[in-house]
Amino acid sequence: MTELSTERYMWSLYEPVHAITYFAPQTRQAFEEAGLRGFWRAYFAGRSAPLGAVGPAPVIAAFYGFAPSMVTQALPDIWTRITPQAALEARRSGARRVLEDAAEGLEGVEEAAALLRQAAQEAECYGRVLGAANAALPWPEDPFDVLWQASTVLREHRGDGHVAALLVEGIEGCESMVWRIAVNNGRGRDMGQAGRGWSDEEWEDARQRLRQRGYLDGEGGATEKAIAAYRMIEEITDQLAARPWQALGPDATERCAKLLRPIAARAFEVLTYYPTWIGLPTPARDAS
C-alpha cells in the first residue's frame, strides 16, 4: 500500500479523526453545553467516560503518560460536575459537528464509516482496557458518529498495545515522555512535559534513571540503545494493531484508506490550526 506498514498507515488516517474530540473548538463547546468547563476536565471526562465514574487509579494506569498528580486533580471531581453518560454524549456530538463540517462535499463517508466499523469490530481487546471499554459501547446509526467511534476504538486499541510494549521494555510513564523527546532530539519538551503534568523534578529523576540504564548519554541525548529500543517498540505496537486489518483484508483496507484520506486530511487541518501537545501523525498518502 505504501512504504509504511499497513497498521501505521491506517493509524495516520484514523488518529486525526479521533483527536478532534479533544482539540477542536466544536467539541469543547459541546462539553461546555453539558456543563463542564475547562479543557482538562473535558479531556479526562471524555476519554475516561467509557470506564464509568472511576477514580484516578485506573486512569493513571490506562493513560500511562500522565503525571498522577495531574490525574488526581481531575478525578473523581469531574463526576460531581457531569455523568459519564453525559460526557459520552458530549464527545459524540462535538465530534460529529467537526466531521460534518470537515467532510462537506466529500463522497463515500458512509462507506468509509462502515469499513472502519468492520475493522474496529475485529479488534481483540484482551488486556486492553481503553480499547475494550470503547468497543463495548453501543454503536450509533449516523455515519459520522460511526466514523468517529470506530476511529476511537482503533486508536485506543492501538494505544493499549503501545503501553504493553513500553511495559515489556520497562519504561514507565514519565520515562516514556523523556525518552521519546530525547529520540526526537529534544524537540517538544515544553508542550510534552506541561501537557502531561510532570514537574521539573520528576522529569530530571526520569532522565537520571534512563541515563543509568544506558538510554541517555551524559548530555541527555538518546543513545543507540534508546533509538534501537524505540524502533522495536514502534514495531511491536504495529504488530499488536494488526488484527483489524488482517481481518478486513487488503482490498477492503485499501478501499477504506482511499475513502478516509480526504476526511483525515481535513481533520488534520483543524487540529494543526489549534495546536496540540500530542504527537499527531500526518495523514499518509499513497507512494504513487
Side-chain angles (χ1 to χ4, degrees):
M1 183 182 296
T2 68
E3 61 183 11
L4 298 176
S5 68
T6 297
E7 300 81 23
R8 188 161 294 268
Y9 178 75
M10 297 306 296
W11 170 62
S12 80
L13 300 179
Y14 63 72
E15 175 76 14
V17 175
H18 161 77
I20 58 175
T21 195
Y22 308 124
F23 301 105
Q26 297 96 319
T27 54
R28 277 176 271 175
Q29 181 182 358
F31 275 100
E32 289 180 1
E33 291 170 355
L36 192 65
R37 295 185 175 275
F39 173 83
W40 285 113
R41 286 173 179 164
Y43 177 90
F44 283 109
R47 195 174 176 206
S48 67
L51 301 172
V54 296
V59 173
I60 292 168
F63 288 18
Y64 203 74
F66 284 89
S69 60
M70 186 174 185
V71 180
T72 55
Q73 286 180 4
L75 294 162
D77 175 72
I78 55 174
W79 305 130
T80 68
R81 305 170 187 269
I82 192 172
T83 66
Q85 188 58 43
L88 290 172
E89 175 59 23
R91 72 175 195 171
R92 181 206 62 78
S93 64
R96 181 178 176 180
R97 295 175 197 177
V98 181
L99 290 175
E100 285 178 332
D101 291 341
E104 184 178 0
L106 297 179
E107 298 181 356
V109 172
E110 188 170 350
E111 184 182 357
L115 288 169
L116 208 61
R117 173 178 174 171
Q118 186 177 342
Q121 288 178 313
E122 294 292 341
E124 78 286 19
C125 291
Y126 298 105
R128 306 189 198 226
V129 174
L130 292 175
N134 281 279
L137 296 174
W139 282 96
E141 297 296 329
D142 181 86
F144 290 106
D145 292 342
V146 172
L147 186 68
W148 183 82
Q149 182 159 321
S151 296
T152 297
V153 171
L154 290 165
R155 191 273 174 200
E156 297 292 25
H157 171 266
R158 179 185 176 87
D160 288 338
H162 186 63
V163 167
L166 287 168
L167 285 170
V168 170
E169 186 65 19
I171 303 296
E172 57 189 56
C174 188
E175 293 171 356
S176 71
M177 295 297 300
V178 175
W179 182 30
R180 175 179 174 179
I181 288 170
V183 171
N184 199 32
N185 296 318
R187 292 189 298 272
R189 174 177 174 176
D190 289 345
M191 292 187 72
Q193 182 181 350
R196 295 299 200 277
W198 298 104
S199 68
D200 288 340
E201 182 180 2
E202 290 169 325
W203 195 267
E204 184 57 33
D205 287 345
R207 288 182 66 181
Q208 291 294 341
R209 293 193 299 271
L210 290 172
R211 187 178 293 115
Q212 291 170 1
R213 294 173 59 192
Y215 291 107
L216 300 182
D217 60 27
E219 301 300 320
T223 62
E224 291 184 5
K225 176 182 178 180
I227 294 170
Y230 184 86
R231 290 172 179 165
M232 181 187 67
I233 285 176
E234 292 301 312
E235 289 175 1
I236 292 172
T237 300
D238 283 349
Q239 292 167 10
L240 293 175
R243 183 170 174 177
W245 314 113
Q246 292 171 347
L248 193 60
D251 292 342
T253 298
E254 175 56 37
R255 177 63 177 168
C256 181
K258 181 179 180 179
L259 295 169
L260 194 55
R261 275 195 297 271
I263 302 171
R266 291 189 182 182
F268 185 81
E269 289 176 0
V270 172
L271 294 168
T272 52
Y273 185 76
Y274 298 94
T276 79
W277 42 265
I278 63 173
L280 192 69
T282 302
R285 300 181 182 276
D286 283 333
S288 57

